């Protein structure tokens, strides 16, 4: 299976999951029974041991932004692409620039119970439209799992991990947003598409 086909297949599956999640979200915000199912499929994406594809479709040589975090962690945002399904996919790489293995801070998952119960993730990430004064949180599937890279707890020195996060799309006229992730510096990024 080619990397391009795998990326398109993943994107299609995630779009379907997002659409289902939005449909459920529109019908009500009540508590959702459900069991203790563990994340699987595209919502659990890559781990530090299995980083997935090393390059991502739409990734540019020059990153849109570089954000520094604790313990030598560096997040390079390589693309922020608006999709026709009404969401924005942010791709990048998380690198350990430190001299020893970094434990991924639990704060990156955010503080929402629904996201935290699904393990470590980048679920605490947000996009902020400074002009429209609106904040966009990472999307979730119908099981409450964040639509972002999940399941990683450590990153060895010098190692990189391909990461993604999906957000509701800001209005069509908004092309610049601030990207924020707990424990990291924030940065302005350009949304394409």
């Amino acid at each position: 299976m080619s990397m391009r086909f795998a990326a398109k297949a993943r994107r299609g599956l995630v779009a379907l999951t997002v659409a289902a999640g939005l449909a459920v979200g529109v019908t009500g915000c009540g508590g959702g029974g459900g069991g203790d199912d563990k994340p699987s499929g595209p919502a659990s994406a890559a781990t530090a041991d299995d980083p997935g594809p090393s390059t991502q479709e739409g990734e540019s040589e020059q990153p849109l932004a570089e954000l520094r975090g604790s313990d030598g962690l560096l997040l390079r945002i390589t693309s922020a692409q608006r999709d026709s399904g009404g969401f924005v996919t942010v791709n990048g790489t998380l690198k350990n620039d430190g001299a020893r293995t970094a434990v991924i801070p639990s704060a990156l998952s955010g503080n929402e119970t629904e996201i935290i119960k699904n393990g470590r993730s980048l679920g605490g990430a947000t996009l902020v439209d400074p002009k429209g004064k609106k904040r966009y949180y990472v999307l979730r599937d119908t099981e409450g799992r964040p639509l972002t890279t999940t399941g990683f707890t450590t990153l060895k020195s010098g190692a990189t991990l391909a990461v993604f996060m999906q957000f509701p799309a800001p209005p069509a006229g908004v092309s610049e947003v601030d990207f924020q992730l707990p424990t990291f510096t924030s940065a302005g990024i350009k949304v394409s598409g």
Side-chain angles (χ1 to χ4, degrees):
M1 180 184 293
S2 76
M3 290 172 60
R4 180 172 292 253
F5 178 78
K8 286 186 186 238
R10 181 185 82 202
R11 207 171 326 156
L13 186 55
V14 170
L16 179 62
T17 304
V18 169
L22 291 174
V24 169
V26 168
T27 60
C29 295
D36 291 323
D37 294 346
K38 295 290 177 204
S40 63
S44 60
T47 65
D49 294 331
D50 177 22
S54 59
T55 59
Q56 298 171 4
E57 196 171 321
E59 194 173 295
S60 63
E61 294 282 327
Q62 182 69 27
L64 297 177
E66 289 189 352
L67 294 78
R68 293 258 171 212
S70 59
D71 295 329
L73 292 175
L74 173 68
L75 176 63
R76 285 190 176 103
I77 298 176
T78 55
S79 68
Q81 183 70 40
R82 186 184 300 268
D83 292 307
S84 60
F87 54 92
V88 170
T89 302
V90 175
N91 290 302
T93 56
L94 183 62
K95 180 178 182 182
N96 180 356
D97 260 354
R100 50 194 159 145
T101 298
V103 174
I104 304 300
S106 60
L108 298 186
S109 298
N111 58 9
E112 293 182 48
T113 306
E114 188 81 15
I115 290 178
I116 292 172
K117 76 176 186 178
N118 287 294
R120 294 276 166 91
S121 71
L122 300 175
T126 59
L127 295 180
V128 177
D129 171 6
K131 290 183 182 171
K133 297 183 177 162
K134 189 160 184 187
R135 181 180 302 271
Y136 299 89
Y137 294 88
V138 168
L139 290 168
R140 294 176 221 161
D141 68 12
T142 56
E143 306 273 322
R145 294 181 295 239
L147 297 182
T148 179
T149 307
T150 62
F152 53 94
T153 55
T154 60
L155 201 56
K156 293 180 181 175
S157 177
T160 60
L161 173 66
V163 296
F164 80 98
M165 294 145 275
Q166 290 191 316
F167 303 89
V174 176
S175 61
E176 293 188 22
V177 293
D178 293 330
F179 177 86
Q180 299 176 343
L181 182 65
T183 77
F184 281 77
T185 56
S186 62
I189 61 172
K190 200 174 246 325
V191 176
S192 59

Coordinates of all heavy atoms in Angstrom, one line a residue, residues 69-156:
G69 N 8.6 23.1 23.7 CA 7.9 22.6 24.9 C 8.9 22.3 26.0 O 10.1 22.6 25.9
S70 N 8.4 21.6 27.0 CA 9.3 21.2 28.1 C 10.2 20.0 27.8 O 9.9 19.3 26.8 CB 8.4 20.8 29.4 OG 7.5 19.8 29.0
D71 N 11.2 19.8 28.5 CA 12.1 18.6 28.4 C 12.7 18.5 27.0 O 12.9 17.3 26.5 CB 11.4 17.3 28.8 CG 11.1 17.3 30.3 OD1 11.9 17.9 31.1 OD2 10.1 16.7 30.6
G72 N 12.9 19.6 26.3 CA 13.6 19.5 24.9 C 12.6 19.1 23.8 O 13.1 18.9 22.7
L73 N 11.3 19.1 24.1 CA 10.4 18.7 23.0 C 10.2 19.9 22.0 O 10.1 21.1 22.4 CB 9.0 18.4 23.6 CG 9.0 17.1 24.4 CD1 7.6 16.8 25.0 CD2 9.4 15.9 23.5
L74 N 10.1 19.6 20.8 CA 10.0 20.6 19.7 C 8.9 20.1 18.8 O 8.9 19.0 18.3 CB 11.3 20.7 18.9 CG 11.2 21.6 17.7 CD1 11.0 23.1 18.0 CD2 12.5 21.5 16.9
L75 N 7.9 21.0 18.6 CA 6.8 20.7 17.6 C 6.9 21.5 16.4 O 6.9 22.8 16.5 CB 5.4 20.9 18.3 CG 4.2 20.7 17.4 CD1 4.1 19.3 16.9 CD2 2.9 21.1 18.1
R76 N 7.1 20.9 15.2 CA 7.2 21.6 14.0 C 5.8 21.4 13.3 O 5.5 20.2 13.0 CB 8.3 21.0 13.1 CG 9.6 21.5 13.5 CD 10.7 21.1 12.5 NE 12.0 21.6 12.9 CZ 13.0 20.9 13.4 NH1 12.8 19.6 13.6 NH2 14.1 21.4 13.7
I77 N 5.1 22.5 13.0 CA 3.9 22.4 12.3 C 4.2 22.5 10.8 O 4.8 23.6 10.4 CB 2.9 23.4 12.7 CG1 2.5 23.2 14.2 CG2 1.6 23.4 11.9 CD1 1.6 24.2 14.8
T78 N 3.9 21.5 10.0 CA 4.3 21.5 8.6 C 3.1 21.9 7.7 O 3.4 22.3 6.5 CB 4.8 20.1 8.2 OG1 3.9 19.1 8.6 CG2 6.2 19.9 8.9
S79 N 1.9 21.7 8.1 CA 0.7 22.1 7.3 C -0.5 22.3 8.1 O -0.6 21.7 9.2 CB 0.5 21.1 6.2 OG 0.0 19.9 6.7
A80 N -1.4 23.1 7.7 CA -2.7 23.4 8.3 C -3.7 23.5 7.1 O -3.7 24.5 6.5 CB -2.7 24.6 9.1
Q81 N -4.3 22.4 6.8 CA -5.1 22.3 5.5 C -6.6 22.3 5.8 O -7.1 21.4 6.6 CB -4.7 21.0 4.8 CG -5.4 20.8 3.5 CD -4.9 21.8 2.4 OE1 -3.7 22.1 2.3 NE2 -5.8 22.3 1.6
R82 N -7.3 23.2 5.2 CA -8.8 23.2 5.3 C -9.3 22.1 4.3 O -8.9 22.1 3.2 CB -9.3 24.6 4.9 CG -10.8 24.8 5.1 CD -11.2 26.2 4.6 NE -10.5 27.3 5.2 CZ -10.9 27.9 6.3 NH1 -12.1 27.6 6.8 NH2 -10.3 28.9 6.8
D83 N -10.2 21.3 4.8 CA -10.8 20.2 4.0 C -12.2 20.5 3.7 O -12.9 21.3 4.5 CB -10.7 18.9 4.7 CG -9.2 18.4 4.8 OD1 -8.6 18.4 3.8 OD2 -8.8 18.1 6.0
S84 N -12.8 19.9 2.7 CA -14.1 20.2 2.2 C -15.2 19.7 3.3 O -16.3 20.1 3.2 CB -14.4 19.6 0.9 OG -14.2 18.2 0.9
G85 N -14.8 18.8 4.2 CA -15.7 18.3 5.2 C -16.0 19.3 6.3 O -16.7 18.9 7.2
G86 N -15.4 20.4 6.3 CA -15.7 21.4 7.3 C -14.7 21.4 8.5 O -15.0 21.8 9.6
F87 N -13.5 20.8 8.3 CA -12.5 20.8 9.3 C -11.1 21.2 8.8 O -10.9 21.3 7.6 CB -12.5 19.4 10.0 CG -12.3 18.2 9.1 CD1 -11.0 17.8 8.8 CD2 -13.3 17.6 8.5 CE1 -10.8 16.7 8.0 CE2 -13.2 16.5 7.7 CZ -11.9 16.1 7.4
V88 N -10.2 21.4 9.7 CA -8.8 21.8 9.4 C -7.9 20.7 10.0 O -8.1 20.3 11.2 CB -8.4 23.1 10.0 CG1 -6.9 23.4 9.9 CG2 -9.2 24.3 9.4
T89 N -7.1 20.1 9.2 CA -6.1 19.1 9.7 C -4.7 19.8 9.8 O -4.2 20.4 8.9 CB -6.0 17.9 8.7 OG1 -7.3 17.3 8.6 CG2 -5.0 16.9 9.2
V90 N -4.2 19.7 11.0 CA -2.8 20.3 11.3 C -1.9 19.1 11.4 O -2.1 18.2 12.2 CB -2.8 21.1 12.6 CG1 -1.4 21.6 12.9 CG2 -3.8 22.3 12.5
N91 N -0.8 19.1 10.5 CA 0.2 18.0 10.5 C 1.5 18.6 11.0 O 1.8 19.8 10.8 CB 0.4 17.5 9.1 CG -0.8 16.7 8.7 OD1 -1.2 15.7 9.3 ND2 -1.4 17.1 7.6
G92 N 2.3 17.7 11.6 CA 3.6 18.2 12.0 C 4.4 17.0 12.5 O 4.1 15.8 12.3
T93 N 5.5 17.4 13.2 CA 6.4 16.4 13.8 C 6.7 16.8 15.2 O 7.0 18.0 15.4 CB 7.7 16.1 13.0 OG1 8.4 17.4 12.9 CG2 7.5 15.5 11.7
L94 N 6.7 15.9 16.1 CA 7.1 16.1 17.5 C 8.5 15.5 17.6 O 8.7 14.3 17.3 CB 6.1 15.5 18.5 CG 6.4 15.7 19.9 CD1 6.3 17.2 20.3 CD2 5.4 14.9 20.8
K95 N 9.5 16.3 18.0 CA 10.9 15.8 18.1 C 11.4 16.0 19.5 O 11.1 17.0 20.2 CB 11.8 16.6 17.1 CG 13.2 16.1 17.2 CD 14.1 16.8 16.2 CE 15.5 16.3 16.3 NZ 16.4 16.9 15.4
N96 N 12.2 15.1 20.0 CA 12.9 15.2 21.3 C 14.3 15.8 21.0 O 15.1 15.0 20.6 CB 12.9 13.9 22.0 CG 13.7 14.0 23.4 OD1 14.2 15.1 23.7 ND2 13.7 12.9 24.1
D97 N 14.5 17.0 21.2 CA 15.8 17.7 21.0 C 16.6 17.6 22.3 O 17.8 18.0 22.3 CB 15.6 19.2 20.7 CG 15.7 19.5 19.2 OD1 16.0 18.5 18.5 OD2 15.4 20.6 18.8
G98 N 16.1 17.0 23.3 CA 16.8 16.8 24.6 C 17.9 15.7 24.5 O 17.9 14.9 23.6
A99 N 18.7 15.6 25.6 CA 19.7 14.6 25.7 C 19.3 13.3 26.2 O 20.0 12.3 26.1 CB 20.8 15.2 26.6
R100 N 18.1 13.2 26.8 CA 17.6 11.9 27.3 C 16.1 11.7 26.9 O 15.5 12.6 26.4 CB 17.8 11.8 28.8 CG 17.3 13.0 29.5 CD 17.8 12.9 31.0 NE 17.7 14.3 31.4 CZ 17.4 14.7 32.6 NH1 17.3 13.7 33.6 NH2 17.3 15.9 33.0
T101 N 15.6 10.5 27.1 CA 14.2 10.2 26.8 C 13.3 11.2 27.5 O 13.5 11.4 28.7 CB 13.9 8.7 27.2 OG1 14.8 7.9 26.4 CG2 12.5 8.4 26.9
A102 N 12.3 11.7 26.8 CA 11.4 12.6 27.4 C 10.1 11.9 27.6 O 9.6 11.2 26.8 CB 11.1 13.8 26.4
V103 N 9.5 12.1 28.8 CA 8.2 11.7 29.1 C 7.2 12.7 28.6 O 7.4 13.9 28.9 CB 8.0 11.4 30.7 CG1 6.6 11.1 31.0 CG2 9.0 10.4 31.2
I104 N 6.3 12.3 27.8 CA 5.3 13.2 27.2 C 4.4 13.7 28.3 O 3.8 12.9 29.0 CB 4.5 12.6 26.1 CG1 5.4 12.0 25.0 CG2 3.5 13.5 25.5 CD1 6.3 12.9 24.3
P105 N 4.3 15.1 28.5 CA 3.5 15.6 29.6 C 2.0 15.3 29.4 O 1.5 15.4 28.3 CB 3.7 17.1 29.5 CG 4.9 17.3 28.7 CD 5.0 16.1 27.8
S106 N 1.4 14.9 30.5 CA -0.1 14.5 30.4 C -0.9 15.8 30.1 O -2.0 15.7 29.6 CB -0.5 13.9 31.7 OG -0.3 14.8 32.8
A107 N -0.3 17.0 30.3 CA -1.0 18.2 30.0 C -1.4 18.4 28.6 O -2.3 19.1 28.2 CB -0.2 19.4 30.5
L108 N -0.6 17.7 27.7 CA -0.9 17.8 26.3 C -2.2 17.3 25.9 O -2.8 17.7 24.9 CB 0.2 17.0 25.4 CG 1.6 17.5 25.6 CD1 2.5 16.7 24.6 CD2 1.8 19.0 25.3
S109 N -2.8 16.4 26.7 CA -4.1 15.8 26.5 C -5.2 16.8 26.8 O -6.4 16.6 26.5 CB -4.3 14.6 27.3 OG -3.4 13.6 26.9
G110 N -4.9 17.9 27.5 CA -5.9 18.9 28.0 C -6.5 18.4 29.3 O -5.9 17.5 30.0
N111 N -7.6 19.0 29.7 CA -8.2 18.7 31.0 C -9.6 18.2 30.9 O -10.3 18.1 31.9 CB -8.1 19.9 31.9 CG -8.8 21.1 31.3 OD1 -9.5 21.0 30.3 ND2 -8.6 22.3 32.0
E112 N -10.1 17.9 29.7 CA -11.5 17.4 29.5 C -11.5 15.9 29.8 O -10.8 15.1 29.2 CB -12.0 17.6 28.1 CG -12.2 19.1 27.8 CD -12.7 19.3 26.4 OE1 -13.7 18.6 26.0 OE2 -12.2 20.2 25.7
T113 N -12.4 15.5 30.7 CA -12.5 14.1 31.2 C -12.7 13.1 30.0 O -12.0 12.1 29.9 CB -13.6 13.9 32.2 OG1 -13.5 14.9 33.2 CG2 -13.7 12.5 32.7
E114 N -13.5 13.5 29.1 CA -13.8 12.6 27.9 C -12.5 12.3 27.1 O -12.4 11.2 26.7 CB -14.8 13.4 27.0 CG -15.3 12.5 25.9 CD -16.5 11.6 26.3 OE1 -17.0 11.8 27.4 OE2 -16.8 10.6 25.6
I115 N -11.6 13.3 27.0 CA -10.4 13.0 26.2 C -9.4 12.3 27.1 O -8.7 11.4 26.6 CB -9.8 14.4 25.7 CG1 -10.8 14.9 24.6 CG2 -8.4 14.2 25.1 CD1 -10.4 16.2 24.0
I116 N -9.2 12.7 28.3 CA -8.2 12.1 29.2 C -8.4 10.6 29.4 O -7.5 9.9 29.4 CB -8.2 12.8 30.6 CG1 -7.7 14.3 30.4 CG2 -7.4 12.1 31.6 CD1 -7.9 15.1 31.7
K117 N -9.7 10.2 29.4 CA -9.9 8.8 29.6 C -9.5 7.9 28.5 O -9.4 6.7 28.6 CB -11.4 8.5 30.0 CG -12.3 8.6 28.8 CD -13.7 8.2 29.2 CE -14.7 8.1 28.0 NZ -16.0 7.7 28.4
N118 N -9.1 8.5 27.3 CA -8.7 7.8 26.2 C -7.2 7.7 26.1 O -6.6 7.4 25.0 CB -9.3 8.4 24.9 CG -10.8 8.0 24.8 OD1 -11.1 6.9 24.6 ND2 -11.6 9.0 24.9
G119 N -6.4 8.1 27.1 CA -5.0 8.0 27.1 C -4.3 9.3 26.6 O -4.9 10.3 26.3
R120 N -3.0 9.2 26.5 CA -2.2 10.4 26.1 C -2.5 10.8 24.7 O -2.7 9.9 23.8 CB -0.7 10.1 26.2 CG -0.2 9.9 27.6 CD 0.1 11.3 28.3 NE 0.3 11.1 29.7 CZ 1.4 10.9 30.3 NH1 2.5 10.8 29.6 NH2 1.5 10.7 31.6
S121 N -2.6 12.1 24.4 CA -2.9 12.6 23.1 C -2.5 14.0 23.0 O -1.9 14.6 23.9 CB -4.4 12.5 22.8 OG -5.1 13.4 23.6
L122 N -2.8 14.7 21.9 CA -2.6 16.1 21.7 C -3.9 16.8 21.8 O -4.2 17.8 21.1 CB -1.9 16.4 20.4 CG -0.5 15.8 20.2 CD1 0.0 16.0 18.8 CD2 0.5 16.3 21.2
G123 N -4.8 16.2 22.5 CA -6.2 16.7 22.7 C -6.4 18.0 23.3 O -7.4 18.6 23.3
G124 N -5.3 18.5 23.9 CA -5.4 19.9 24.5 C -5.1 21.0 23.6 O -5.1 22.2 23.9
A125 N -4.8 20.7 22.3 CA -4.4 21.7 21.3 C -5.7 22.5 20.9 O -6.8 22.0 20.9 CB -3.9 21.0 20.0
T126 N -5.5 23.8 20.6 CA -6.6 24.6 20.2 C -6.1 25.5 19.0 O -4.9 25.8 18.9 CB -7.1 25.5 21.3 OG1 -6.1 26.3 21.8 CG2 -7.8 24.7 22.4
L127 N -7.0 25.9 18.2 CA -6.8 27.0 17.2 C -7.6 28.2 17.7 O -8.7 28.0 18.1 CB -7.2 26.6 15.8 CG -6.5 25.4 15.2 CD1 -7.1 25.2 13.8 CD2 -5.0 25.7 15.0
V128 N -7.0 29.4 17.6 CA -7.7 30.6 18.1 C -7.8 31.6 16.9 O -6.7 31.9 16.3 CB -7.0 31.3 19.3 CG1 -7.7 32.6 19.6 CG2 -6.9 30.3 20.4
D129 N -9.0 32.0 16.6 CA -9.2 33.0 15.6 C -9.2 34.4 16.4 O -10.2 34.7 17.0 CB -10.5 32.8 14.9 CG -10.9 34.0 14.0 OD1 -10.2 34.9 13.8 OD2 -12.1 33.9 13.5
P130 N -8.1 35.1 16.3 CA -8.0 36.3 17.1 C -8.9 37.4 16.7 O -9.4 38.2 17.5 CB -6.5 36.8 17.0 CG -6.0 36.0 15.8 CD -6.8 34.9 15.6
K131 N -9.2 37.5 15.4 CA -10.1 38.5 14.9 C -11.6 38.2 15.3 O -12.3 39.1 15.7 CB -10.0 38.7 13.4 CG -8.7 39.3 13.0 CD -8.5 39.6 11.5 CE -7.2 40.2 11.2 NZ -6.9 40.2 9.8
G132 N -12.0 36.9 15.0 CA -13.3 36.5 15.4 C -13.5 36.2 16.8 O -14.6 35.9 17.3
K133 N -12.4 36.2 17.6 CA -12.5 35.9 19.0 C -13.1 34.6 19.3 O -14.0 34.5 20.2 CB -13.1 37.1 19.8 CG -12.3 38.3 19.7 CD -12.9 39.5 20.4 CE -12.0 40.6 20.3 NZ -12.5 41.9 20.6
K134 N -12.7 33.5 18.6 CA -13.2 32.2 18.8 C -12.1 31.2 18.9 O -11.1 31.3 18.2 CB -14.2 31.9 17.6 CG -15.0 30.6 17.9 CD -16.2 30.6 17.0 CE -17.0 29.3 17.3 NZ -18.0 29.1 16.5
R135 N -12.3 30.2 19.8 CA -11.4 29.1 20.0 C -12.0 27.8 19.5 O -13.1 27.5 19.7 CB -11.1 29.0 21.5 CG -10.1 27.9 21.9 CD -9.8 27.9 23.4 NE -9.4 29.1 23.9 CZ -8.1 29.5 24.0 NH1 -7.2 28.7 23.6 NH2 -7.8 30.7 24.5
Y136 N -11.1 27.0 18.8 CA -11.6 25.8 18.2 C -10.8 24.6 18.9 O -9.5 24.7 18.9 CB -11.3 25.8 16.7 CG -12.1 26.8 16.0 CD1 -11.6 28.1 15.8 CD2 -13.4 26.6 15.5 CE1 -12.3 29.1 15.2 CE2 -14.1 27.6 14.9 CZ -13.6 28.8 14.7 OH -14.3 29.8 14.1
Y137 N -11.5 23.7 19.4 CA -10.9 22.5 20.1 C -10.8 21.3 19.2 O -11.5 21.2 18.2 CB -11.7 22.2 21.3 CG -11.7 23.2 22.4 CD1 -12.7 24.2 22.4 CD2 -10.8 23.3 23.4 CE1 -12.7 25.3 23.3 CE2 -10.8 24.2 24.4 CZ -11.8 25.2 24.3 OH -11.7 26.2 25.3
V138 N -9.9 20.4 19.5 CA -9.7 19.2 18.7 C -11.0 18.4 18.7 O -11.7 18.3 19.7 CB -8.6 18.3 19.4 CG1 -8.6 16.9 18.8 CG2 -7.2 18.9 19.2
L139 N -11.4 18.0 17.5 CA -12.6 17.2 17.3 C -12.5 15.9 18.0 O -11.4 15.3 18.2 CB -12.9 17.0 15.8 CG -13.2 18.3 15.0 CD1 -13.2 18.0 13.5 CD2 -14.6 18.8 15.4
R140 N -13.7 15.3 18.2 CA -13.7 13.9 18.8 C -14.7 13.0 18.0 O -15.6 13.5 17.3 CB -14.4 14.0 20.2 CG -13.5 14.7 21.2 CD -14.2 14.9 22.5 NE -13.9 16.2 22.9 CZ -14.6 16.8 23.8 NH1 -15.6 16.3 24.4 NH2 -14.3 18.0 24.2
D141 N -14.4 11.7 18.0 CA -15.3 10.8 17.3 C -16.5 10.5 18.2 O -16.6 11.1 19.3 CB -14.6 9.6 16.9 CG -14.1 8.7 18.0 OD1 -14.5 8.9 19.2 OD2 -13.3 7.7 17.7
T142 N -17.4 9.6 17.8 CA -18.6 9.3 18.5 C -18.3 8.6 19.9 O -19.2 8.6 20.7 CB -19.6 8.5 17.7 OG1 -18.9 7.3 17.3 CG2 -20.0 9.2 16.5
E143 N -17.1 8.1 20.0 CA -16.8 7.4 21.3 C -16.0 8.4 22.3 O -15.6 8.0 23.3 CB -15.8 6.2 21.0 CG -16.4 5.3 20.0 CD -17.3 4.2 20.7 OE1 -16.9 3.8 21.8 OE2 -18.3 3.9 20.1
G144 N -15.9 9.7 21.8 CA -15.2 10.6 22.7 C -13.7 10.7 22.5 O -13.0 11.4 23.2
R145 N -13.2 9.9 21.6 CA -11.7 9.9 21.3 C -11.3 11.1 20.5 O -12.0 11.4 19.5 CB -11.3 8.6 20.6 CG -11.5 7.3 21.4 CD -11.0 6.1 20.6 NE -11.9 5.9 19.5 CZ -12.6 4.8 19.2 NH1 -12.6 3.8 20.1 NH2 -13.3 4.7 18.2
P146 N -10.2 11.8 20.9 CA -9.8 12.9 20.1 C -9.3 12.6 18.8 O -8.6 11.5 18.6 CB -8.7 13.5 21.0 CG -8.2 12.4 21.8 CD -9.3 11.4 22.0
L147 N -9.6 13.4 17.8 CA -9.1 13.1 16.4 C -7.7 13.8 16.3 O -7.5 14.9 15.7 CB -10.1 13.7 15.4 CG -11.4 13.0 15.4 CD1 -12.3 13.6 14.3 CD2 -11.3 11.5 15.2
T148 N -6.8 13.1 16.9 CA -5.4 13.5 16.9 C -4.5 12.3 17.2 O -5.0 11.2 17.5 CB -5.2 14.6 18.0 OG1 -3.8 15.0 18.1 CG2 -5.6 14.1 19.4
T149 N -3.2 12.5 17.1 CA -2.3 11.4 17.4 C -2.5 11.0 18.9 O -2.5 11.9 19.7 CB -0.8 11.8 17.1 OG1 -0.8 12.3 15.8 CG2 0.1 10.7 17.3
T150 N -2.5 9.8 19.2 CA -2.7 9.3 20.6 C -1.8 8.1 20.9 O -1.2 7.6 20.0 CB -4.2 8.8 20.8 OG1 -4.4 7.7 20.0 CG2 -5.2 9.9 20.6
G151 N -1.7 7.8 22.1 CA -1.1 6.5 22.5 C 0.4 6.6 22.7 O 1.1 5.6 22.8
F152 N 1.0 7.7 22.8 CA 2.5 7.8 23.0 C 2.7 8.4 24.4 O 2.0 9.2 24.9 CB 3.1 8.8 21.9 CG 2.5 10.1 21.8 CD1 3.0 11.2 22.5 CD2 1.3 10.3 21.0 CE1 2.4 12.4 22.4 CE2 0.7 11.5 20.9 CZ 1.3 12.6 21.7
T153 N 3.8 7.8 25.0 CA 4.1 8.2 26.4 C 5.5 8.8 26.6 O 5.7 9.6 27.4 CB 3.8 7.1 27.4 OG1 4.6 6.0 27.0 CG2 2.4 6.7 27.5
T154 N 6.4 8.3 25.7 CA 7.8 8.7 25.8 C 8.3 8.9 24.4 O 7.8 8.4 23.4 CB 8.7 7.7 26.5 OG1 8.7 6.5 25.8 CG2 8.3 7.5 28.0
L155 N 9.4 9.7 24.3 CA 10.1 9.9 23.0 C 11.6 9.9 23.3 O 12.1 10.7 24.1 CB 9.6 11.2 22.4 CG 9.8 11.5 20.9 CD1 9.1 10.4 20.1 CD2 9.2 12.8 20.5
K156 N 12.3 9.0 22.7 CA 13.7 8.9 22.9 C 14.5 10.1 22.4 O 14.0 10.8 21.5 CB 14.3 7.7 22.2 CG 13.8 6.4 22.8 CD 14.4 5.2 22.1 CE 13.8 3.9 22.7 NZ 14.3 2.7 22.0

